[in-house]
Amino acid sequence: MTETQYWLGVREYETIREVKGPLLIVEGVSGVSYDEIVEVELASGEKRRGRVLDVGAGIAVVQVFEGTTGITRVGTKVRFLGRPLEIPVSEDMLGRVFNGLGEPIDGGPPIVAEEKRDVNGEPLNPAARDYPEDFIQTGVSAIDGMNTLVRGQKLPLFSGSGLPHNMLAAQIARQATVPGEEAEFAVVFAAIGIKYDDALFFKKFFEETGAINKVAMFVNLADEPAMIRLVTPRVALTLAEYLAYERDMHVLVILTDMTNYCEALREISAAREEVPGRQGYPGYMYSDLATIYERAGRVKGKKGSITQMPILTMPNDDITHPIPDLTGYITEGQVVLDRGLYNRGIYPPINVLMSLSRLMKEGIGPGKTREDHAGVSNQLYAAYSRAQELRSLATIVGEESLSETDRKYLRYAEAFEKRFLSQGFYENRDIDTTLDIGWEVLSILPESELTNIKDEHIKKYHPKYKRGGTG
Amino acid sequence: MGVVGRIVRITGPLVVADNMRGIQMYEMVEVGSDRLIGEVTRIQGDKAFIQVYESTSGLRPGEPVYGTGYPLSVELGPGLLTQIYDGIQRPLSKIIEASKSVFVKRGIKVHPLPRDKKWVFKPNTELKPGDKVSGGDVLGIVPETSLIEHKIMVPPNLHGTLVELAPEGEYTIEEPIAVVEAGGKKIEIKMYQRWPARKPRPFKVKLEPTEPLITGMRILDTLFPMAKGGTGAIPGGFGTGKTVTLHSLAQWSAARVVIYIGCGERGNEMTEVLLRFPKYEDPWTGKPLMERTILIANTSNMPVAAREASIYVGVTMAEYYRDMGYDVLLVADSTSRWAEALREIAGRLEEMPAEEGYPSYLASRLAEFYERAGRAITIGRPERVGSVTLVGAVSPPGGDFTEPVTSHTKRFIRVFWALDTALAYSRHYPAINWILSYSAYSDLVAYWWHEHVDPQWKEYRDEAMRILYREDELKEIVKLVGPESLSEHDKLVLEAARIIKEGFLKQNAFDPIDAFTPPEKQFKLLKMMLDFYHEARRLVDRGVPVRSIRSHVDREITELIKAKFTVPNDQLEKLDEIYERLISKLHELRGVSG
Ligand SMILES: Nc1ncnc2c1ncn2[C@@H]1O[C@H](COP(=O)(O)OP(=O)(O)O)[C@@H](O)[C@H]1O
Ligand SMILES: [Mg+2]
């Protein structure tokens, strides 16, 4: 056994027993702790990092972030660093670009740490949380009107390959404001295994909008080692927590693409020969994802907040696939993009029926948005869903055999998609505009169909009465 | 103290220790120099396999493991109500104080019940020294909150002679309030007791659940009723309404004590209850809801093993209040996360997996859990009847009800509230599918409805169900051949079903009036709708087309549909006015055709 003890906590071994996928099995170790961070030095002098996944008597299983290609059993040094993976955090990280492990890659100066933090974070005490309820105006009608986002919420975009989720996320990042407040969002952006083009799109976008000084980017590209993806969102959230809870900032965290994260998780699980859950993803994927998504929210006694917008592409556009499924079970709703709408040229192609904001109810209403908001939203939903049923009925029995009221529903659906849903990439609608458009499309229906809205609100906001001057 | 062993392996929440000879299955242990809490889940030779309830990050082989000599237990006594606990009964607010952090730190030890608080104890005046006492006998009472009188009981399994009973006064839970002589030993009884979480508390006999647990939710109470002491499951894909329904149950149910377990779910959902319940009134007593509530929160990002424990901790508390003679409702959101915790630990133990990786004992664990429900004559004197009603959310992957947790759960519950993604997408809330759902108690609770609300309850309820079933069939036909091909009578069935769905089944949990509907209003609404249907059917018999009916009373029907949220619960006479308007307008059509 070769063991060199440098200083307290650091131990070095050259006793790799096996190299297996992204894993190293190191034997003859002692004093190694679970989850501690490892430095692997190849014979060439190249250094990689890893983490202890399993430790038993004399044996440690190490996951190497940069992969094990080129690692030889003999001649490779494995150093156990005696601490969990930590990153330095500082306000100066805004405006900078980092790799997936949190190291600067923009040629700028090294980060002078205000503090070092374990990237795994710790679970927020539920009794210390404050309920998110500040309305964020994104300027996008389908979101503000029907799936309202609030500050401290985790609301993912469920998309499909080739759909404009990047545009939508960028539009939201640019337009998001809390009406009546000056403070803008700081953005923490984590690129997880995405293509260079996509990363460039965001970088350019942040530069062009002048937002770049309020953005910290963590970038792990598609051609970079997959195991790093398991760390990247955690590194990003570690900075976000620091900014939110120590520096009083409102932080918007964009994580894209969480599908790549889950693929990496599946890979490591397969390498460890674990009993797989559904479709080969590990049984603990729910818990693992929760340790990412639950790092959002507001905390009592702290001014800042973390709002998360993870993006994921649903394999085969299938919302029941384990990745969107487990995500939806954890996040506070989802915004679902729809290929059908996209193919019909509708932007943003948000499928409102499948979308949901669970925190909407606390963020809307008098004093926050408008008194008629809940009713209008419920009615838009109910009517659109009725219209969708009628649309498929009409394709079978023909539109003529529908009743007059039913035909009005079909016209409503058209108007809803063209007027309410569709808007420009640069179009920033305030909430009044959004709700007024809602009324406009609802007024296509007979008034007696508006069973979800209070009469007093109909009298006040329905275009018929408004125009008549009685409102 | 007991056994001291040594860690030999750490993988996720599982730790293996050797030198553990003498340790018992399910014994609580303290792991590592931080003394993290764990529980022995398997013994092999002198090795113990331990599930650790806190993050194991940083643990090393060689660190010590200490046996405690007792199993995972729950501290039971005054001070439980209004608390929020983690999965192993540590008060989360005390953790904030002890750790001075908003994050849950490891290795924090805090007492489940306040040690310094003085409670007013009133002794049971029926008892005097020399009396024989045994488990469950009430020694005295403590007003725990303005809603709940806490009965201080002789712990189960203790029989003896009362030597001393403390006079009325203020005591902390550590001060003895009685001395009992048993087996030649004098035993001090304090106001709290400990009970192993995994062991059901004893009772005398189980009774049939006959009384409905009124929830104020129309589709539940009227179509698929829960009974006090019953069991139910509410399965559904994400976003279909499990949590909102469980929150509503916790908020509105006619239970005396409510235990809400957030098991592997969102932090904000616990926060919501914590912030809302102290402000909301119990609809049955007008007191703050929190005074009848205990929260247990082991959120999805908290250590997975404690999720498994939280269910047992909660149900033990439920049985304890049942023993006092209360009707207790326990809701668990979500039992799937508990099952997944079982699966994760089983996987780390390298046990042979059965379906979808779940251990083969999944079904028996579920059965044991639901078996702890029931209405029972409790042990001890004076004689009391209490109940534990258990309702668990189930979160099937992809919303597929054939998966193991849903399908096994179905075997052990009597009420099935099936949530439907399609209904949720169309914002029909609660998205409970009336075709797939069922309640085995609807006949049993009919007596109660007939006695307290209306002798025709069952008749109307069954007719509503028939209309909904018929609508389901008719919709299939419409999909094939269009609505025009239906007979006028069938068209009227569709209209009746529309009114029932819109005006009765749909219920907005966030509307101040609609959220809770008392039984009288439930029945009245349903009766109005069906009576309208009967009247309209007479017109159809006489040749009046449904289309004319609909256009003639359009406004009045809309008014009827909105009555659920426009008519306050204490002004039910307004419903009669709405009905009068509808029917007299309808009767105008009498002369039209014949
Ligand atoms: N009875 C109801 N009334 C109004 N809204 C509801 C109701 N039930 C569910 N919802 C809506 O559905 C959303 C998801 O419900 P939730 O109970 O959180 O779903 P689940 O727990 O099944 O994932 C809620 O945030 C709310 O907007
Ligand atoms: Mg839920």
Side-chain angles (χ1 to χ4, degrees):
Chain A
M1 186 212 286
T2 50
E3 173 176 337
T4 324
Q5 195 145 356
Y6 280 89
W7 60 85
L8 202 69
V10 178
R11 290 169 171 78
E12 184 180 296
Y13 300 90
E14 284 185 45
T15 47
I16 298 177
R17 184 169 82 191
E18 200 184 332
V19 182
K20 195 163 94 179
L23 304 178
L24 300 180
I25 320 289
V26 190
E27 59 188 6
V29 301
S30 74
V32 167
S33 63
Y34 176 67
D35 211 24
E36 89 174 73
I37 211 73
V38 173
E39 187 176 84
V40 181
E41 189 176 330
L42 279 63
S44 62
E46 180 193 341
K47 284 182 185 163
R48 297 184 190 172
R49 264 125 324 156
R51 185 169 64 151
V52 175
L53 290 184
D54 191 336
V55 51
I59 296 203
V61 178
V62 175
Q63 165 203 350
V64 183
F65 296 138
E66 293 93 339
T68 53
T69 320
I71 293 187
T72 47
R73 275 188 54 215
V74 182
T76 303
K77 297 190 181 91
V78 183
R79 253 169 244 133
F80 293 87
L81 303 184
R83 52 177 165 82
L85 182 58
E86 289 171 333
I87 59 156
V89 287
S90 145
E91 220 174 303
D92 298 337
M93 291 170 80
L94 290 173
R96 302 287 306 271
V97 184
F98 307 87
N99 67 13
L101 290 171
E103 298 153 338
I105 51 169
D106 55 0
I111 297 302
V112 181
E114 284 160 21
E115 204 177 299
K116 273 194 153 192
R117 291 195 162 197
D118 179 349
V119 301
N120 292 311
E122 287 167 308
L124 258 182
N125 188 324
R129 282 182 185 268
D130 216 349
Y131 202 68
E133 53 188 15
D134 301 324
F135 167 64
I136 297 179
Q137 181 173 292
T138 67
V140 177
S141 289
I143 296 178
D144 295 351
M146 301 174 75
N147 294 288
T148 314
L149 175 68
V150 298
R151 204 153 57 183
Q153 182 171 11
K154 39 190 182 290
L155 187 65
L157 298 185
F158 284 10
S159 186
S161 47
L163 297 182
H165 44 265
N166 289 342
M167 267 175 83
L168 182 57
Q171 183 171 9
I172 292 168
R174 180 185 58 221
Q175 294 178 177
T177 51
V178 171
E181 282 190 27
E182 292 290 305
E184 278 174 50
F185 285 92
V187 176
V188 172
F189 178 87
I192 308 162
I194 63 174
K195 289 200 296 277
Y196 176 73
D197 297 354
D198 291 330
L200 197 65
F201 166 82
F202 278 104
K203 187 153 183 265
K204 272 194 159 155
F205 173 80
F206 291 136
E207 279 164 2
E208 278 163 16
T209 53
I212 195 77
N213 292 328
K214 301 216 91 188
V215 180
M217 294 185 82
F218 296 87
V219 182
N220 165 272
L221 294 177
D223 57 359
E224 292 183 279
M227 288 306 112
I228 292 182
R229 286 167 208 164
L230 298 176
V231 179
T232 307
R234 296 188 163 85
V235 168
L237 286 163
T238 302
L239 174 63
E241 280 174 350
Y242 173 78
L243 296 176
Y245 306 140
E246 307 301 329
R247 288 284 173 268
D248 293 343
M249 292 185 184
H250 295 295
V251 187
L252 175 66
V253 180
I254 298 176
L255 307 171
T256 179
D257 179 330
M258 286 304 288
T259 298
N260 297 330
Y261 172 88
C262 294
E263 299 301 344
L265 199 66
R266 177 164 69 171
E267 189 179 331
I268 194 84
S269 173
R272 296 178 69 188
E273 294 170 12
E274 290 169 333
V275 181
R278 282 174 80 224
Q279 302 190 24
Y281 294 91
Y284 51 79
M285 190 156 91
Y286 174 84
S287 305
D288 184 279
L289 285 172
T291 61
I292 295 175
Y293 296 141
E294 278 286 318
R295 291 172 82 174
R298 288 174 60 204
V299 168
K300 280 184 201 152
K302 310 263 181 187
K303 290 210 189 87
S305 64
I306 297 178
T307 308
Q308 261 192 47
M309 184 165 291
I311 300 174
L312 60 84
T313 45
M314 300 183 279
N316 303 315
D317 293 350
D318 175 11
I319 197 168
T320 68
H321 182 283
I323 296 171
D325 192 49
L326 295 179
T327 298
Y329 269 120
I330 303 164
T331 53
E332 284 144 350
Q334 67 277 341
V335 171
V336 182
L337 302 193
D338 184 301
R339 200 168 297 279
L341 290 171
Y342 175 70
N343 290 341
R344 282 162 51 208
I346 292 170
Y347 175 88
I350 297 177
N351 182 325
V352 289
L353 297 183
M354 297 176 90
S355 302
L356 170 70
S357 166
R358 293 162 188 269
L359 302 186
M360 174 169 180
K361 61 178 192 297
E362 303 295 335
I364 64 170
K368 300 198 165 173
T369 55
R370 224 167 70 180
E371 55 183 345
D372 58 329
H373 193 158
V376 169
S377 167
N378 287 342
Q379 194 67 60
L380 286 168
Y381 269 117
Y384 189 57
S385 115
R386 171 99 186 101
Q388 294 291 49
E389 266 174 43
L390 290 169
R391 271 179 168 172
S392 52
L393 190 59
T395 56
I396 302 165
V397 300
E399 211 180 302
E400 345 48 81
S401 67
L402 297 183
S403 72
E404 197 191 316
T405 306
D406 288 350
R407 284 200 298 271
K408 284 188 177 152
Y409 271 98
L410 297 183
R411 280 188 24 231
Y412 158 80
E414 287 298 312
F416 174 81
E417 288 166 1
K418 294 231 167 65
R419 285 285 296 125
F420 187 86
L421 210 53
S422 300
Q423 67 185 85
F425 177 57
Y426 290 100
E427 187 179 350
N428 188 355
R429 295 183 187 158
D430 65 21
I431 184 64
D432 274 317
T433 309
T434 288
L435 291 175
D436 290 346
I437 298 174
W439 275 108
E440 189 188 312
V441 297
L442 283 174
S443 68
I444 294 172
L445 300 171
E447 200 185 310
S448 61
E449 291 296 308
L450 306 183
T451 53
N452 291 279
I453 308 180
K454 294 207 166 85
D455 286 335
E456 58 198 88
H457 295 157
I458 295 182
K459 294 279 172 320
K460 190 161 164 193
Y461 296 102
H462 194 295
K464 185 168 102 188
Y465 299 100
K466 264 192 152 173
R467 245 175 259 139
T470 31
Chain B
M1 229 197 224
V3 179
V4 183
R6 208 166 48 98
I7 297 179
V8 293
R9 184 174 172 204
I10 307 127
T11 166
L14 184 76
V15 163
V16 186
D18 68 4
N19 267 328
M20 297 291 286
R21 189 157 308 237
I23 200 84
Q24 295 194 16
M25 190 65 181
Y26 298 127
E27 183 168 331
M28 288 269 272
V29 293
E30 296 184 350
V31 179
S33 37
D34 282 345
R35 292 189 175 250
L36 310 180
I37 307 213
E39 185 185 8
V40 176
T41 60
R42 186 204 282 176
I43 300 170
Q44 218 172 56
D46 71 347
K47 273 202 183 114
F49 294 70
I50 298 157
Q51 57 175 350
V52 181
Y53 293 134
E54 303 179 69
S55 163
T56 52
S57 194
L59 279 181
R60 295 163 204 261
E63 287 191 58
V65 174
Y66 307 91
T68 62
Y70 54 84
L72 172 68
S73 302
V74 187
E75 226 176 71
L76 302 164
L80 287 170
L81 290 169
T82 74
Q83 269 300 352
I84 177 166
Y85 290 109
D86 76 355
I88 49 171
Q89 214 201 355
R90 290 181 301 187
L92 284 166
S93 47
K94 289 281 176 316
I95 292 184
I96 299 181
E97 286 167 27
S99 65
K100 301 198 170 45
S101 167
V102 298
F103 296 102
V104 179
K105 302 277 175 191
R106 298 187 312 166
I108 303 250
K109 302 275 187 301
V110 278
H111 286 298
L113 296 174
R115 288 299 189 272
D116 45 359
K117 183 169 166 106
K118 295 232 179 216
W119 300 95
V120 178
F121 172 79
K122 272 208 191 82
N124 179 355
T125 50
E126 311 270 289
L127 288 175
K128 54 186 182 316
D131 285 353
K132 293 269 177 247
V133 291
S134 63
D137 286 357
V138 176
L139 294 169
I141 52 167
V142 165
E144 185 177 359
T145 65
S146 67
L147 279 174
I148 294 295
E149 187 169 83
H150 196 109
K151 307 216 162 67
I152 306 296
M153 299 170 289
V154 176
N157 309 331
L158 180 64
H159 308 273
T161 312
L162 187 65
V163 178
E164 210 183 307
L165 185 60
E168 180 169 343
E170 296 197 349
Y171 303 89
T172 68
I173 58 165
E174 289 285 18
E175 293 170 81
I177 47 88
V179 177
V180 170
E181 191 173 314
K185 271 196 290 189
K186 287 198 171 159
I187 297 161
E188 285 187 340
I189 297 183
K190 297 176 178 175
M191 289 200 281
Y192 75 105
Q193 43 180 281
R194 298 182 68 88
W195 186 265
R198 295 181 192 277
K199 190 170 154 192
R201 287 172 66 87
F203 53 86
K204 260 192 209 132
V205 264
K206 278 210 176 157
L207 306 170
E208 194 176 33
T210 51
E211 204 181 308
L213 181 74
I214 296 296
T215 68
M217 276 177 278
R218 294 184 293 266
I219 186 167
L220 306 192
D221 293 345
T222 300
L223 297 190
F224 310 111
M226 179 47 80
K228 289 178 177 167
T231 50
I234 177 159
F238 63 84
T240 51
K242 298 179 291 298
T243 304
V244 171
T245 308
L246 293 187
H247 277 193
S248 299
L249 283 175
Q251 187 167 343
W252 303 116
S253 289
R256 295 296 305 277
V257 173
V258 174
I259 297 173
Y260 188 102
I261 309 179
C263 175
E265 294 286 315
R266 300 178 185 86
N268 276 331
E269 292 173 347
M270 300 311 297
T271 310
E272 186 183 0
V273 178
L274 260 185
L275 296 179
R276 259 173 46 185
F277 276 32
K279 285 186 228 150
Y280 284 31
E281 282 179 4
D282 173 6
W284 308 92
T285 58
K287 296 279 168 54
L289 266 180
M290 208 56 206
E291 304 213 342
R292 65 172 206 182
T293 310
I294 305 171
L295 302 177
I296 298 178
N298 194 258
T299 56
S300 56
N301 54 337
M302 287 160 84
V304 66
R307 233 183 256 175
E308 200 263 342
S310 66
I311 294 282
Y312 296 101
V313 168
V315 75
T316 304
M317 293 175 183
E319 288 172 339
Y320 177 65
Y321 281 94
R322 172 205 66 194
D323 291 348
M324 295 179 209
Y326 291 118
D327 291 315
V328 184
L329 168 69
L330 178 147
V331 296
D333 188 10
S334 154
T335 58
S336 293
R337 308 299 167 218
W338 163 55
E340 285 163 13
L342 277 184
R343 174 170 71 182
E344 183 167 347
I345 303 292
R348 308 267 183 187
L349 287 166
E350 287 164 11
E351 287 175 358
M352 261 301 279
E355 313 128 279
E356 294 193 17
Y358 287 103
S360 53
Y361 45 80
L362 170 68
S364 59
R365 292 286 168 85
L366 283 168
E368 282 161 25
F369 168 65
Y370 284 109
E371 200 44 42
R372 291 176 78 167
R375 201 161 78 93
I377 301 179
T378 66
I379 58 168
R381 292 160 304 169
E383 186 170 290
R384 303 176 293 273
V385 173
S387 67
V388 172
T389 307
L390 293 182
V391 178
V394 184
S395 317
D400 169 13
F401 288 1
T402 64
E403 59 89 39
V405 183
T406 317
S407 55
H408 286 305
T409 300
K410 268 182 114 164
R411 295 162 50 201
F412 311 120
I413 49 94
R414 310 282 309 276
V415 179
F416 191 66
W417 293 319
L419 292 170
D420 184 328
T421 308
L423 286 176
Y425 282 169
S426 61
R427 268 52 180 180
H428 176 112
Y429 293 125
I432 295 174
N433 180 308
W434 46 91
I435 306 292
L436 297 179
S437 300
Y438 57 80
S439 163
Y441 304 120
S442 51
D443 288 338
L444 285 174
V445 302
Y447 296 102
W448 183 93
W449 280 89
H450 294 164
E451 200 171 300
H452 292 88
V453 180
D454 194 289
Q456 283 184 303
W457 178 78
K458 186 89 169 59
E459 215 175 288
Y460 276 91
R461 180 224 172 247
D462 289 352
E463 185 178 11
M465 274 317 292
R466 278 199 303 277
I467 291 176
L468 291 167
Y469 278 127
R470 180 73 186 138
E471 187 226 10
D472 197 51
E473 292 167 0
L474 292 175
K475 269 173 79 179
E476 289 308 308
I477 300 175
V478 169
K479 267 188 208 149
L480 293 175
V481 291
E484 282 313 309
S485 59
L486 296 184
S487 72
E488 286 299 309
H489 279 101
D490 283 343
K491 282 185 196 158
L492 187 64
V493 170
L494 289 188
E495 178 62 10
R498 181 184 78 93
I499 297 171
I500 294 173
K501 289 192 296 186
E502 291 292 319
F504 190 81
L505 299 185
K506 261 194 185 180
Q507 186 168 5
N508 184 347
F510 309 118
D511 181 274
I513 296 178
D514 197 22
F516 173 82
T517 310
E520 296 72 23
K521 185 175 173 190
Q522 294 191 25
F523 179 73
K524 213 160 183 173
L525 281 171
L526 192 67
K527 183 169 165 16
M528 284 159 60
M529 292 170 186
L530 293 179
D531 286 350
F532 161 74
Y533 169 63
H534 300 151
E535 291 288 329
R537 200 166 51 191
R538 258 171 237 136
L539 289 176
V540 172
D541 286 344
R542 292 163 57 177
V544 182
V546 173
R547 189 170 282 198
S548 322
I549 296 178
R550 185 128 187 229
S551 62
H552 192 69
V553 291
D554 206 14
R555 280 184 172 276
E556 289 70 22
I557 290 178
T558 304
E559 200 183 14
L560 173 61
I561 288 174
K562 290 186 177 183
K564 60 184 181 181
F565 64 80
T566 55
V567 176
N569 293 337
D570 54 1
Q571 299 173 23
L572 297 190
E573 64 288 350
K574 294 219 165 120
L575 291 176
D576 299 328
E577 294 161 23
I578 290 173
Y579 185 69
E580 280 310 309
R581 273 196 290 279
L582 172 62
I583 291 300
S584 51
K585 188 88 190 284
L586 184 73
H587 283 170
E588 289 171 11
L589 289 170
R590 270 176 177 167
V592 171
S593 174

